[in-house]
Amino acid sequence: MIPPQEASARRREIEDKLKQEEETLSFIRDNLEKSDQLTKNMVSILSSFESRLMKLENSIIPVHKQTENLQRLQENVEKTLSCLDHVISYYHVASDTEKIIREGPTGRLEEYLGSMAKIQKAVEYFQDNSPDSPELNKVKLLFERGKESLESEFRSLMTRHSKVVSPVLILDLISGDDELEVQEEVVLEHLPESALQDVVRISHWLVEYGRNHDFMNVYYQIRSSQLDRSIKGLKEHFRKSSSSSGVPYSPAIPNKRKDTPTKKPVKRPGTIRKAQNLLKQYSQHGLDGKKGGSNLIPLEGRDDMLDVETDAYIHCVSAFVKLAQSEYQLLTDIIPEHHQKKTFDSLIQDALDGLMLEGENIVSAARKAIIRHDFSTVLTVFPILRHLKQTKPEFDQVLQGTAASTKNKLPGLITSMETIGAKALEDFADNIKNDPDKEYNMPKDGTVHELTSNAILFLQQLLDFQETAGAMLASQVLGDTYNIPLDPRETSSSATSYNSEFSKRLLSTYICKVLGNLQLNLLSKSKVYEDPALSAIFLHNNYNYILKSLEKSELIQLVAVTQKTAERSYREHIEQQIQTYQRSWLKVTDYITEKNLPVFQSGVKLRDKERQMIKERFKGFNDGLEELCKIQKAWAVPDTEQRDRIRQIQKKIVKETYGAFLQRYNNVPFTKNPEKYVKYQVDQVGDMIDRLFDTSA
């Protein structure tokens, strides 16, 4: 049971809490009443605002609609006025632009094209809206006149600014490909930049608005003429350089004159002049072969103009490729894409036809030269053909997209040159074999025959054109003529398909054939000489000349490809001819050899018959020695080494034999006048032999 005091305290606490709760409840009721009053006031305000807003809307909407209609009417009026102004402007186009069109576009192309654009729009307007109006005819006539002026300006710009490319610049352009060091690229400026921009603008306008492609014909005609003249100018440059300096400009000989390019000229080893230089070189070493005649025209006597023409043509071919490439780059900026190939085809025709015609003329000249056995002229085909083959990939790239007839011109020329070159090689070999044995053409001193020197020089010239000559032979016969065993890896069904090894073997066999024909002909010619010794000297000189010439060049390595023993064979032939020559001295030494001497006893007086026999021996030796020395002094052995060797061998034999003879009869009283018979001492005999083969002695 709770104590009374605690219950009283508990009751007071509860009463206090109840009182607080009642106060709180009274506060809440007061606030709720205030909130309700505020809500009623707000609802009243909003209702009033809504009522006023509806009244405002009902009064504004009609005004807005009326304003919108007024704005639409204003816009229509403005558009109508604008259209009227636009239409009226077309009626003034003719009068506004007539003066500009009449004066032409020169110097003010932008303004002129702007006027043409106005005229074009006027034409379109009248065609669409008033096709029967006189204004249409006016603007049409003005448009046509303006178009003609633009075409005329196009022609004028192309004519005024298209210049022939100078030969010096062309040579710089060609030599630029062969520069090892990095140099500034040579750029051709066919048209000044300002003129080019005008030409491009006019061409684009004529295509887009003028609907006229006649300007393309104008373009290719003008540029074709410049291209053709540039190449002809280069050719003329070579001729003038040749005539003024006496030495034709050759790409293998750097020329430092001011009118030649500053860059390194195109290197084209193996010019025909190289063979002539070899001839001079061998002449200095005693291997000259000038005295023997032949029906082959001598190589060293050929006209230097052939070199000029060859160099000029080769450079013109390279020039055509470079200039054509540059022309195509220019053309792509001016001519529409779908007309570029056709226009370019027409543009290059004159220059290309000129090159092809000149090439065919070279073939024709070579054909005529073969008939008259002038094989030095035929040699001009070799460097040209090699260059054409080297240039063909660039040619094909430049002519890509042109007509088939255009693309086939160069292959046709190459085929013609290969055919004539193969015929020249075959005819040369046949002429070496069949060169007649004319007595009056034979060298009187037994020196090297001109046929030999010509044959060697011709073969040496082929060294620089091994692949070209091999291609000539392979394209015609593919080894059948020379009985070369063919490796399937080296050939195919195509006659021109071969590798360098096969080409080398084919050319080696051909050279061996020529050398074989030459040897047979020399043997035949040697029979013209009545004296076997002179015949031997003749063969010796020619064989030695051939061997030394082969050794001094790469011919010996080329011959060894198919004939391993060629060098040894020639040395054996040379030794054989020396031995044959030595037999000519037997009629001298036979008088004094021991086996032919009379036998006598020492201290016994000689009989008359014995004395007479000794006298005859001395006289026979003396007469024979004098006769041989007199005759053989006029003979020639151009090779100093061989000449000294032959003298030394003969001198040793004769001196030993004569010395033994003198020693045997020096103290024998076979005559009262020993000086009459003992005319020469041993050393004197040696001196006489030392003067053999020396016309100056």
Side-chain angles (χ1 to χ4, degrees):
M1 184 173 181
I2 300 174
Q5 290 180 350
E6 289 182 5
S8 177
R10 181 73 175 167
R11 188 168 43 252
R12 283 194 300 270
E13 182 179 353
I14 292 171
E15 289 175 353
D16 289 339
K17 286 184 180 180
L18 180 62
K19 185 179 181 180
Q20 288 177 359
E21 292 295 333
E22 288 176 350
E23 289 176 356
T24 301
L25 179 62
S26 176
F27 176 77
I28 291 173
R29 284 194 188 101
D30 291 341
N31 285 336
L32 284 174
E33 289 176 358
K34 290 179 181 179
S35 178
D36 289 342
Q37 185 62 39
L38 290 174
T39 301
K40 289 177 181 180
N41 291 339
M42 181 59 66
V43 170
S44 176
I45 292 171
L46 290 175
S47 297
S48 176
F49 180 77
E50 182 180 6
S51 175
R52 292 178 181 181
L53 186 61
M54 288 180 64
K55 290 179 181 180
L56 180 62
E57 182 178 353
N58 291 333
S59 60
I60 289 298
I61 287 178
V63 175
H64 174 72
K65 289 182 179 180
Q66 187 178 4
T67 304
E68 187 178 23
N69 291 334
L70 290 174
Q71 288 177 341
R72 187 179 299 110
L73 289 173
Q74 184 180 1
E75 289 176 0
N76 290 338
V77 170
E78 290 177 352
K79 288 181 179 179
T80 302
L81 291 174
S82 176
C83 289
L84 287 173
D85 290 340
H86 182 67
V87 170
I88 291 171
S89 68
Y90 288 129
Y91 286 86
H92 294 291
V93 166
S95 58
D96 292 344
T97 60
E98 185 176 8
K99 181 180 178 182
I100 297 175
I101 299 303
R102 184 174 62 251
E103 293 176 353
T106 304
R108 51 176 182 178
L109 183 60
E110 280 299 325
E111 182 183 3
Y112 193 89
L113 291 178
S115 297
M116 289 298 294
K118 293 179 181 179
I119 298 172
Q120 173 73 13
K121 290 179 180 178
V123 171
E124 293 174 353
Y125 171 79
F126 288 120
Q127 283 178 339
D128 294 338
N129 299 280
S130 185
D132 298 328
S133 65
E135 284 77 9
L136 176 59
N137 293 330
K138 287 183 181 179
V139 291
K140 270 189 174 181
L141 289 174
L142 199 58
F143 182 81
E144 290 300 322
R145 188 190 307 170
K147 185 170 69 172
E148 290 174 0
S149 296
L150 284 172
E151 292 173 354
S152 177
E153 179 69 5
F154 182 88
R155 179 188 294 273
S156 176
L157 286 171
M158 292 298 303
T159 303
R160 288 200 315 269
H161 297 288
S162 291
K163 305 297 182 183
V164 174
V165 184
S166 70
V168 173
L169 187 56
I170 294 176
L171 290 173
D172 278 338
L173 183 68
I174 296 173
S175 63
D177 288 347
D178 295 334
E179 292 294 322
L180 296 179
E181 60 274 11
V182 178
Q183 294 193 2
E184 183 179 354
E185 183 181 359
V186 180
V187 179
L188 294 180
E189 185 182 63
H190 294 292
L191 297 173
E193 185 62 29
S194 59
L196 177 60
Q197 290 178 0
D198 288 349
V199 167
V200 172
R201 290 291 307 278
I202 294 174
S203 67
H204 288 175
W205 189 93
L206 290 173
V207 171
E208 186 174 356
Y209 302 107
R211 305 292 191 269
N212 191 336
H213 296 162
D214 291 343
F215 77 94
M216 299 180 194
N217 296 331
V218 172
Y219 177 85
Y220 92 71
Q221 289 169 1
I222 294 174
R223 294 308 306 170
S224 175
S225 174
Q226 299 304 325
L227 175 61
D228 192 39
R229 289 170 58 193
S230 296
I231 293 176
K232 288 179 178 177
L234 177 62
K235 184 176 181 181
E236 188 64 25
H237 172 76
F238 276 87
R239 291 176 176 171
K240 288 182 179 179
S241 298
S242 171
S243 59
S244 62
S245 65
V247 179
Y249 172 81
S250 171
I253 303 175
N255 194 334
K256 300 299 183 184
R257 293 183 303 147
K258 293 182 179 180
D259 60 343
T260 56
T262 56
K263 292 189 178 182
K264 189 166 53 180
V266 179
K267 289 187 176 181
R268 189 172 50 78
T271 56
I272 298 170
R273 196 176 297 107
K274 180 179 178 182
Q276 301 172 14
N277 294 335
L278 286 171
L279 175 64
K280 295 177 183 178
Q281 174 185 347
Y282 294 152
S283 299
Q284 294 171 357
H285 289 82
L287 293 177
D288 198 355
K290 295 182 179 178
K291 297 184 180 180
S294 169
N295 70 331
L296 296 174
I297 296 178
L299 286 174
E300 69 271 23
R302 65 186 306 278
D303 191 356
D304 279 344
M305 284 306 296
L306 286 176
D307 283 336
V308 178
E309 295 296 330
T310 300
D311 288 343
Y313 185 74
I314 287 174
H315 278 75
C316 286
V317 170
S318 295
F320 172 82
V321 173
K322 293 299 180 184
L323 292 177
Q325 289 173 342
S326 182
E327 287 291 345
Y328 189 76
Q329 292 174 356
L330 176 66
L331 178 143
T332 55
D333 292 331
I334 300 173
I335 305 300
E337 184 176 358
H338 54 286
H339 291 282
Q340 290 174 2
K341 294 296 184 182
K342 183 178 180 181
T343 304
F344 179 70
D345 198 342
S346 300
L347 189 155
I348 63 174
Q349 283 304 315
D350 286 348
L352 182 59
D353 286 344
L355 285 177
M356 295 302 106
L357 178 60
E358 191 171 350
E360 290 297 340
N361 289 339
I362 292 172
V363 173
S364 178
R367 188 176 291 110
K368 294 176 182 178
I370 292 174
I371 295 176
R372 64 177 184 270
H373 301 156
D374 179 10
F375 294 99
S376 62
T377 301
V378 180
L379 285 175
T380 59
V381 172
F382 285 76
I384 292 174
L385 177 58
R386 181 178 64 182
H387 187 71
L388 289 179
K389 285 189 169 185
Q390 291 173 345
T391 313
K392 187 177 181 298
E394 290 184 88
F395 245 99
D396 293 341
Q397 185 177 5
V398 169
L399 301 183
Q400 189 176 14
T402 58
S405 57
T406 303
K407 295 178 182 177
N408 292 334
K409 288 180 179 180
L410 180 64
L413 179 59
I414 289 176
T415 300
S416 296
M417 287 193 172
E418 281 191 335
T419 301
I420 199 65
K423 179 171 176 55
L425 292 175
E426 287 303 312
D427 283 17
F428 181 80
D430 292 340
N431 275 276
I432 292 295
K433 181 178 181 180
N434 301 320
D435 188 69
D437 306 327
K438 297 178 181 178
E439 184 174 354
Y440 61 85
N441 275 338
M442 294 296 291
K444 304 301 181 183
D445 57 1
T447 190
V448 179
H449 198 280
E450 192 174 40
L451 176 69
T452 302
S453 61
N454 282 347
I456 293 299
L457 287 175
F458 186 89
L459 296 180
Q460 287 169 340
Q461 186 63 21
L462 296 184
L463 283 175
D464 292 309
F465 307 102
Q466 294 185 35
E467 290 189 5
T468 304
M472 289 176 176
L473 298 170
S475 65
Q476 300 300 314
V477 297
L478 199 59
D480 292 342
T481 301
Y482 307 106
N483 297 318
I484 296 180
L486 304 181
D487 190 321
R489 294 171 296 179
E490 295 177 341
T491 62
S492 70
S493 57
S494 172
T496 58
S497 179
Y498 57 92
N499 62 18
S500 58
E501 186 62 29
F502 171 67
S503 173
K504 182 179 291 187
R505 290 203 289 124
L506 187 59
L507 186 58
S508 172
T509 305
Y510 171 78
I511 292 174
C512 291
K513 176 184 177 181
V514 172
L515 293 176
N517 289 349
L518 177 61
Q519 186 172 341
L520 291 174
N521 197 302
L522 290 173
L523 284 171
S524 177
K525 289 183 185 301
S526 68
K527 297 176 182 177
V528 172
Y529 296 110
E530 296 180 359
D531 191 336
L534 181 55
S535 177
I537 289 296
F538 170 77
L539 290 176
H540 165 273
N541 286 334
N542 282 272
Y543 291 156
N544 185 64
Y545 178 87
I546 294 171
L547 178 59
K548 289 295 180 67
S549 299
L550 295 178
E551 290 176 337
K552 284 179 178 292
S553 65
E554 297 177 6
L555 278 173
I556 193 65
Q557 289 90 344
L558 194 54
V559 169
V561 172
T562 54
Q563 293 290 339
K564 304 294 185 184
T565 61
E567 184 176 359
R568 185 181 67 187
S569 177
Y570 274 110
R571 295 193 187 282
E572 291 174 354
H573 289 320
I574 292 170
E575 291 302 319
Q576 182 181 354
Q577 298 309 319
I578 291 176
Q579 294 173 9
T580 302
Y581 161 77
Q582 289 175 342
R583 285 197 286 270
S584 67
W585 282 85
L586 291 178
K587 62 181 181 181
V588 175
T589 56
D590 277 352
Y591 283 104
I592 58 176
T593 54
E594 187 174 353
K595 64 178 181 178
N596 295 326
L597 295 178
V599 179
F600 60 91
Q601 295 180 355
S602 178
V604 178
K605 185 178 180 181
L606 297 177
R607 291 174 295 178
D608 291 341
K609 182 178 180 181
E610 291 174 337
R611 286 196 297 272
Q612 185 61 33
M613 183 176 293
I614 294 173
K615 291 177 182 179
E616 289 177 356
R617 298 297 181 195
F618 270 104
K619 186 177 184 305
F621 172 79
N622 293 335
D623 292 345
L625 176 66
E626 292 169 356
E627 180 184 3
L628 279 186
C629 288
K630 179 181 179 181
I631 293 173
Q632 295 184 8
K633 183 178 69 173
W635 294 357
V637 179
D639 188 331
T640 304
E641 181 181 345
Q642 286 293 316
R643 183 169 61 241
D644 292 342
R645 179 168 174 265
I646 293 174
R647 286 172 177 173
Q648 291 301 321
I649 294 175
Q650 201 57 53
K651 184 167 65 174
K652 180 180 179 181
I653 295 173
V654 175
K655 284 179 68 174
E656 288 180 356
T657 307
Y658 184 61
F661 180 76
L662 276 184
Q663 186 177 5
R664 181 164 185 162
Y665 293 105
N666 197 30
N667 297 320
V668 176
F670 64 93
T671 178
K672 294 180 180 179
N673 301 309
E675 66 278 359
K676 179 180 178 180
Y677 297 98
V678 187
K679 294 174 65 174
Y680 304 104
Q681 295 301 316
V682 174
D683 289 341
Q684 288 179 304
V685 172
D687 292 340
M688 293 175 69
I689 294 176
D690 280 336
R691 291 193 291 272
L692 296 178
F693 318 119
D694 187 0
T695 56
S696 63

